[in-house]
Amino acid sequence: MRAKITYFLTATVLVVYFVLVGSRGLLLIEHGTPLTVTFGVTVLILPGIGVWFLWKSTQFVNRANRLAEELEAEGGLPVDELVRTPGGRIDRDSADAVFAARRAQTEDSPDDWRCWFRLAIAYHDARDTPRARKAMQRAIALHDGKPVRV
């Protein structure tokens, strides 16, 4: 729940920022000189990119949560079997061992979105966020029946 609140607050701050930057871009355009119009249009492009990125990220999170709910209803969510340090951090060797098991399961069933979902969690636990995201994207694509890039 803490992650959802943090995501919502961050998204809200970004939207406020986009509105402020967009209003400055419009003010520059209204000024009317060639230089200010050029800067104004450029300034408006940045919030546009930001809104697109925020939208795509929100879609990704919603789709991943939908898969997690479905997997939980099936009783297939991975059990947290990781060893933790006294400070609460995941032990690296423990994460590597779980990752190896998840990778082997995924190699045995490469077309099963459930295996890719579990692999994404293992990547995340091993602190490999880019690969975790790619594995989750693959799980979402397989779940939705979309073609998967190799």
Side-chain angles (χ1 to χ4, degrees):
M1 186 61 158
R2 194 162 109 188
K4 287 183 181 181
I5 292 170
T6 302
Y7 188 81
F8 177 75
L9 289 175
T10 304
T12 303
V13 168
L14 281 171
V15 168
V16 169
Y17 173 76
F18 297 152
V19 169
L20 290 174
V21 170
S23 69
R24 297 296 178 207
L26 291 175
L27 288 174
L28 285 168
I29 291 171
E30 287 176 359
H31 196 13
T33 66
L35 184 63
T36 59
V37 169
T38 303
F39 280 146
V41 169
T42 304
V43 167
L44 285 177
I45 290 172
L46 296 175
I49 293 169
V51 167
W52 174 83
F53 181 76
L54 183 60
W55 174 252
K56 295 305 266 182
S57 296
T58 302
Q59 281 183 320
F60 174 77
V61 168
N62 288 335
R63 289 176 180 151
N65 285 338
R66 189 178 67 227
L67 264 60
E69 290 169 2
E70 188 174 330
L71 202 55
E72 182 179 31
E74 296 174 356
L77 278 179
V79 178
D80 186 3
E81 54 195 347
L82 298 167
V83 177
R84 299 189 188 276
T85 64
R89 295 186 67 112
I90 296 171
D91 178 63
R92 186 78 168 167
D93 294 333
S94 174
D96 289 344
V98 171
F99 172 77
R102 300 281 188 255
R103 185 178 59 201
Q105 291 171 353
T106 305
E107 288 171 354
D108 290 341
S109 302
D111 294 329
D112 186 4
W113 68 266
R114 293 161 187 85
C115 291
W116 282 98
F117 184 92
R118 292 184 199 106
L119 182 64
I121 292 173
Y123 270 126
H124 177 72
D125 292 341
R127 298 186 197 130
D128 191 348
T129 305
R131 287 189 177 135
R133 188 170 182 86
K134 290 287 185 189
M136 188 61 73
Q137 288 170 338
R138 189 173 188 118
I140 291 168
L142 287 169
H143 178 269
D144 294 345
K146 295 180 181 172
V148 179
R149 289 179 281 170
V150 178

PDB file of all heavy atoms in Angstrom, residues 123-137:
ATOM      1  N   TYR A 123      13.899 -11.176 -10.568  1.00  0.00           N
ATOM      2  CA  TYR A 123      14.810 -10.133 -11.041  1.00  0.00           C
ATOM      3  C   TYR A 123      14.754  -8.926 -10.105  1.00  0.00           C
ATOM      4  O   TYR A 123      15.775  -8.340  -9.747  1.00  0.00           O
ATOM      5  CB  TYR A 123      14.434  -9.672 -12.451  1.00  0.00           C
ATOM      6  CG  TYR A 123      15.087 -10.432 -13.572  1.00  0.00           C
ATOM      7  CD1 TYR A 123      14.325 -11.011 -14.578  1.00  0.00           C
ATOM      8  CD2 TYR A 123      16.467 -10.548 -13.661  1.00  0.00           C
ATOM      9  CE1 TYR A 123      14.908 -11.689 -15.635  1.00  0.00           C
ATOM     10  CE2 TYR A 123      17.069 -11.220 -14.713  1.00  0.00           C
ATOM     11  CZ  TYR A 123      16.283 -11.789 -15.694  1.00  0.00           C
ATOM     12  OH  TYR A 123      16.880 -12.449 -16.734  1.00  0.00           O
ATOM     13  N   HIS A 124      13.543  -8.544  -9.728  1.00  0.00           N
ATOM     14  CA  HIS A 124      13.364  -7.400  -8.831  1.00  0.00           C
ATOM     15  C   HIS A 124      14.053  -7.652  -7.487  1.00  0.00           C
ATOM     16  O   HIS A 124      14.738  -6.775  -6.960  1.00  0.00           O
ATOM     17  CB  HIS A 124      11.881  -7.115  -8.635  1.00  0.00           C
ATOM     18  CG  HIS A 124      11.609  -6.008  -7.665  1.00  0.00           C
ATOM     19  ND1 HIS A 124      11.861  -4.692  -7.954  1.00  0.00           N
ATOM     20  CD2 HIS A 124      11.137  -6.029  -6.396  1.00  0.00           C
ATOM     21  CE1 HIS A 124      11.541  -3.945  -6.920  1.00  0.00           C
ATOM     22  NE2 HIS A 124      11.099  -4.739  -5.950  1.00  0.00           N
ATOM     23  N   ASP A 125      13.863  -8.846  -6.953  1.00  0.00           N
ATOM     24  CA  ASP A 125      14.497  -9.188  -5.683  1.00  0.00           C
ATOM     25  C   ASP A 125      16.016  -9.200  -5.787  1.00  0.00           C
ATOM     26  O   ASP A 125      16.711  -8.914  -4.811  1.00  0.00           O
ATOM     27  CB  ASP A 125      14.005 -10.547  -5.178  1.00  0.00           C
ATOM     28  CG  ASP A 125      12.546 -10.512  -4.759  1.00  0.00           C
ATOM     29  OD1 ASP A 125      12.014  -9.400  -4.518  1.00  0.00           O
ATOM     30  OD2 ASP A 125      11.929 -11.591  -4.677  1.00  0.00           O
ATOM     31  N   ALA A 126      16.532  -9.535  -6.972  1.00  0.00           N
ATOM     32  CA  ALA A 126      17.982  -9.535  -7.207  1.00  0.00           C
ATOM     33  C   ALA A 126      18.494  -8.139  -7.580  1.00  0.00           C
ATOM     34  O   ALA A 126      19.641  -7.980  -7.962  1.00  0.00           O
ATOM     35  CB  ALA A 126      18.334 -10.531  -8.301  1.00  0.00           C
ATOM     36  N   ARG A 127      17.612  -7.157  -7.496  1.00  0.00           N
ATOM     37  CA  ARG A 127      17.922  -5.742  -7.770  1.00  0.00           C
ATOM     38  C   ARG A 127      18.322  -5.481  -9.220  1.00  0.00           C
ATOM     39  O   ARG A 127      19.169  -4.639  -9.504  1.00  0.00           O
ATOM     40  CB  ARG A 127      19.002  -5.239  -6.825  1.00  0.00           C
ATOM     41  CG  ARG A 127      18.587  -5.288  -5.375  1.00  0.00           C
ATOM     42  CD  ARG A 127      19.617  -4.657  -4.474  1.00  0.00           C
ATOM     43  NE  ARG A 127      19.372  -5.087  -3.111  1.00  0.00           N
ATOM     44  CZ  ARG A 127      20.307  -5.588  -2.323  1.00  0.00           C
ATOM     45  NH1 ARG A 127      21.537  -5.715  -2.751  1.00  0.00           N
ATOM     46  NH2 ARG A 127      20.006  -5.953  -1.106  1.00  0.00           N
ATOM     47  N   ASP A 128      17.707  -6.209 -10.132  1.00  0.00           N
ATOM     48  CA  ASP A 128      17.949  -6.005 -11.560  1.00  0.00           C
ATOM     49  C   ASP A 128      16.658  -5.465 -12.176  1.00  0.00           C
ATOM     50  O   ASP A 128      15.920  -6.177 -12.847  1.00  0.00           O
ATOM     51  CB  ASP A 128      18.376  -7.319 -12.216  1.00  0.00           C
ATOM     52  CG  ASP A 128      18.890  -7.113 -13.629  1.00  0.00           C
ATOM     53  OD1 ASP A 128      18.709  -6.007 -14.187  1.00  0.00           O
ATOM     54  OD2 ASP A 128      19.476  -8.065 -14.176  1.00  0.00           O
ATOM     55  N   THR A 129      16.400  -4.193 -11.925  1.00  0.00           N
ATOM     56  CA  THR A 129      15.134  -3.578 -12.320  1.00  0.00           C
ATOM     57  C   THR A 129      14.889  -3.581 -13.818  1.00  0.00           C
ATOM     58  O   THR A 129      13.772  -3.875 -14.246  1.00  0.00           O
ATOM     59  CB  THR A 129      15.043  -2.144 -11.749  1.00  0.00           C
ATOM     60  OG1 THR A 129      15.243  -2.208 -10.335  1.00  0.00           O
ATOM     61  CG2 THR A 129      13.705  -1.517 -12.048  1.00  0.00           C
ATOM     62  N   PRO A 130      15.871  -3.264 -14.667  1.00  0.00           N
ATOM     63  CA  PRO A 130      15.584  -3.273 -16.108  1.00  0.00           C
ATOM     64  C   PRO A 130      15.119  -4.646 -16.609  1.00  0.00           C
ATOM     65  O   PRO A 130      14.167  -4.742 -17.389  1.00  0.00           O
ATOM     66  CB  PRO A 130      16.911  -2.875 -16.748  1.00  0.00           C
ATOM     67  CG  PRO A 130      17.638  -2.113 -15.697  1.00  0.00           C
ATOM     68  CD  PRO A 130      17.228  -2.746 -14.402  1.00  0.00           C
ATOM     69  N   ARG A 131      15.775  -5.699 -16.162  1.00  0.00           N
ATOM     70  CA  ARG A 131      15.360  -7.036 -16.587  1.00  0.00           C
ATOM     71  C   ARG A 131      14.031  -7.433 -15.954  1.00  0.00           C
ATOM     72  O   ARG A 131      13.245  -8.162 -16.560  1.00  0.00           O
ATOM     73  CB  ARG A 131      16.447  -8.054 -16.264  1.00  0.00           C
ATOM     74  CG  ARG A 131      17.627  -7.911 -17.183  1.00  0.00           C
ATOM     75  CD  ARG A 131      18.602  -9.045 -17.002  1.00  0.00           C
ATOM     76  NE  ARG A 131      19.690  -8.904 -17.951  1.00  0.00           N
ATOM     77  CZ  ARG A 131      20.958  -9.049 -17.636  1.00  0.00           C
ATOM     78  NH1 ARG A 131      21.319  -9.352 -16.406  1.00  0.00           N
ATOM     79  NH2 ARG A 131      21.889  -8.912 -18.553  1.00  0.00           N
ATOM     80  N   ALA A 132      13.780  -6.963 -14.745  1.00  0.00           N
ATOM     81  CA  ALA A 132      12.484  -7.231 -14.105  1.00  0.00           C
ATOM     82  C   ALA A 132      11.364  -6.615 -14.937  1.00  0.00           C
ATOM     83  O   ALA A 132      10.329  -7.245 -15.177  1.00  0.00           O
ATOM     84  CB  ALA A 132      12.459  -6.677 -12.684  1.00  0.00           C
ATOM     85  N   ARG A 133      11.576  -5.408 -15.397  1.00  0.00           N
ATOM     86  CA  ARG A 133      10.560  -4.731 -16.212  1.00  0.00           C
ATOM     87  C   ARG A 133      10.347  -5.466 -17.537  1.00  0.00           C
ATOM     88  O   ARG A 133       9.217  -5.659 -17.964  1.00  0.00           O
ATOM     89  CB  ARG A 133      10.980  -3.285 -16.449  1.00  0.00           C
ATOM     90  CG  ARG A 133       9.895  -2.456 -17.109  1.00  0.00           C
ATOM     91  CD  ARG A 133      10.274  -0.991 -17.100  1.00  0.00           C
ATOM     92  NE  ARG A 133       9.249  -0.178 -17.679  1.00  0.00           N
ATOM     93  CZ  ARG A 133       8.203   0.310 -17.032  1.00  0.00           C
ATOM     94  NH1 ARG A 133       8.052   0.066 -15.763  1.00  0.00           N
ATOM     95  NH2 ARG A 133       7.302   1.040 -17.652  1.00  0.00           N
ATOM     96  N   LYS A 134      11.436  -5.873 -18.183  1.00  0.00           N
ATOM     97  CA  LYS A 134      11.319  -6.610 -19.452  1.00  0.00           C
ATOM     98  C   LYS A 134      10.587  -7.934 -19.251  1.00  0.00           C
ATOM     99  O   LYS A 134       9.749  -8.318 -20.080  1.00  0.00           O
ATOM    100  CB  LYS A 134      12.703  -6.874 -20.057  1.00  0.00           C
ATOM    101  CG  LYS A 134      13.389  -5.648 -20.576  1.00  0.00           C
ATOM    102  CD  LYS A 134      12.740  -5.195 -21.851  1.00  0.00           C
ATOM    103  CE  LYS A 134      13.508  -4.025 -22.425  1.00  0.00           C
ATOM    104  NZ  LYS A 134      12.822  -3.408 -23.532  1.00  0.00           N
ATOM    105  N   ALA A 135      10.906  -8.640 -18.172  1.00  0.00           N
ATOM    106  CA  ALA A 135      10.229  -9.919 -17.901  1.00  0.00           C
ATOM    107  C   ALA A 135       8.745  -9.686 -17.629  1.00  0.00           C
ATOM    108  O   ALA A 135       7.895 -10.462 -18.089  1.00  0.00           O
ATOM    109  CB  ALA A 135      10.892 -10.632 -16.721  1.00  0.00           C
ATOM    110  N   MET A 136       8.411  -8.614 -16.917  1.00  0.00           N
ATOM    111  CA  MET A 136       6.998  -8.323 -16.637  1.00  0.00           C
ATOM    112  C   MET A 136       6.281  -7.922 -17.925  1.00  0.00           C
ATOM    113  O   MET A 136       5.125  -8.311 -18.144  1.00  0.00           O
ATOM    114  CB  MET A 136       6.880  -7.227 -15.579  1.00  0.00           C
ATOM    115  CG  MET A 136       5.456  -7.005 -15.108  1.00  0.00           C
ATOM    116  SD  MET A 136       4.699  -8.462 -14.326  1.00  0.00           S
ATOM    117  CE  MET A 136       5.558  -8.490 -12.772  1.00  0.00           C
ATOM    118  N   GLN A 137       6.942  -7.160 -18.781  1.00  0.00           N
ATOM    119  CA  GLN A 137       6.340  -6.803 -20.069  1.00  0.00           C
ATOM    120  C   GLN A 137       6.057  -8.052 -20.889  1.00  0.00           C
ATOM    121  O   GLN A 137       5.022  -8.150 -21.554  1.00  0.00           O
ATOM    122  CB  GLN A 137       7.257  -5.853 -20.848  1.00  0.00           C
ATOM    123  CG  GLN A 137       7.314  -4.467 -20.276  1.00  0.00           C
ATOM    124  CD  GLN A 137       8.389  -3.606 -20.908  1.00  0.00           C
ATOM    125  OE1 GLN A 137       9.355  -4.097 -21.486  1.00  0.00           O
ATOM    126  NE2 GLN A 137       8.243  -2.296 -20.770  1.00  0.00           N
TER     127      GLN A 137
END
